[in-house]
Amino acid sequence: MAGPPRLRPEDRADFEDVLRRALSTTDIRTALLADPTSAAATRLRAQALRAVDEITAAAGDEYREYLAARTVVERGRRSRTGEEHGRPSTTTVERGQQSGTTAEHDRQPQPADPGALLPALAALTPPIAGTAAAVLLVLGYSLRLADAQGSMGGSLVTAGWVFATIAVASALAGLTALLCTALRARPGHGDRTGASARNLHHARARWQRALLERGMLPYLRRQLAATRFD
């Protein structure tokens, strides 16, 4: 069975931060004040730094979990980086061919992109249709109230209600598309990344707490108990 993992260099700062917190606890600080030379704190800190393996072994399980959580986050980061930069780039020959045809291509009229027109139409249709419906309905009912001859008033009212229906239908379609887009975007890689980052944060906090309570403080207290201040 493998022993507890050894402290990695990138986690040395966390170890020293836990040591600083341990030296600041009430009982440790009170014991250190008994040293008339005021050198006990420096000596105790140096002893703890030399006993890294012994101290961290007490929180080996939590440290192993922390390393596993960090591996998950780093793997996800590398995966995202690979997706961003993994698209095949054009070769030198392709770039030469493209540069040779760029001028001719730019001189030719470019067709409009239907994908760019659809959002604009979806945004403009409801207000335009609604405005047309309001104008036609006002004119149509005004002609009816004025008892105008002919069927102009009825035709305008009918056209107004048609435009009103178009405005309502296009607004509902746009709202439905927006809702579907939001629902599709909600669950995804970002949520998994956020969950992994939160798990990493909690694993780190658990390791630091175990390192302080089961590793650092017991070691410092043993060293103080074996030290005589003259």
Side-chain angles (χ1 to χ4, degrees):
M1 179 177 179
R6 301 193 64 179
L7 185 71
R8 296 188 178 182
E10 59 267 30
D11 297 321
R12 183 82 178 189
D14 282 347
F15 179 87
E16 294 181 3
D17 182 67
V18 171
L19 174 58
R20 179 188 57 79
R21 288 157 53 191
L23 291 172
S24 300
T25 56
T26 303
D27 62 324
I28 301 294
R29 190 171 62 250
T30 301
L32 291 174
L33 291 176
D35 179 21
T37 64
S38 301
T42 302
R43 186 167 57 250
L44 189 61
R45 185 178 186 277
Q47 290 173 340
L49 292 176
R50 288 194 299 268
V52 170
D53 292 340
E54 177 184 349
I55 296 172
T56 55
D61 292 339
E62 288 79 5
Y63 188 50
R64 188 177 290 105
E65 293 175 1
Y66 171 46
L67 293 179
R70 191 163 64 191
T71 300
V72 171
V73 172
E74 291 174 351
R75 187 179 298 132
R77 188 181 299 117
R78 287 194 298 268
S79 175
R80 292 194 304 274
T81 303
E83 290 174 359
E84 292 173 359
H85 301 287
R87 301 185 183 92
S89 59
T90 56
T91 63
T92 304
V93 176
E94 290 173 339
R95 286 197 296 269
Q97 294 174 348
Q98 290 175 357
S99 61
T101 59
T102 298
E104 181 181 355
H105 181 72
D106 290 341
R107 287 194 297 268
Q108 296 176 355
Q110 299 297 320
D113 185 7
L117 294 177
L118 290 178
L121 291 176
L124 292 176
T125 299
I128 293 177
T131 302
V135 172
L136 292 174
L137 288 174
V138 169
L139 290 176
Y141 281 114
S142 297
L143 291 176
R144 280 188 174 184
L145 291 175
D147 293 330
Q149 298 294 327
S151 60
M152 178 64 70
S155 299
L156 291 177
V157 170
T158 301
W161 282 116
V162 170
F163 276 102
T165 303
I166 294 173
V168 173
S170 58
L172 290 176
L175 183 61
T176 302
L178 183 62
L179 181 60
C180 291
T181 302
L183 291 176
R184 285 196 303 268
R186 186 174 60 180
H189 185 71
D191 287 348
R192 294 194 297 272
T193 302
S196 299
R198 287 191 297 271
N199 185 43
L200 175 62
H201 174 76
H202 294 320
R204 182 187 181 192
R206 287 193 299 269
W207 169 61
Q208 290 181 342
R209 184 168 58 253
L211 182 64
L212 175 66
E213 296 175 354
R214 300 206 308 266
M216 193 68 71
L217 286 175
Y219 175 82
L220 296 181
R221 287 164 181 159
R222 287 196 303 270
Q223 296 303 312
L224 287 173
T227 302
R228 294 184 58 185
F229 301 120
D230 299 326

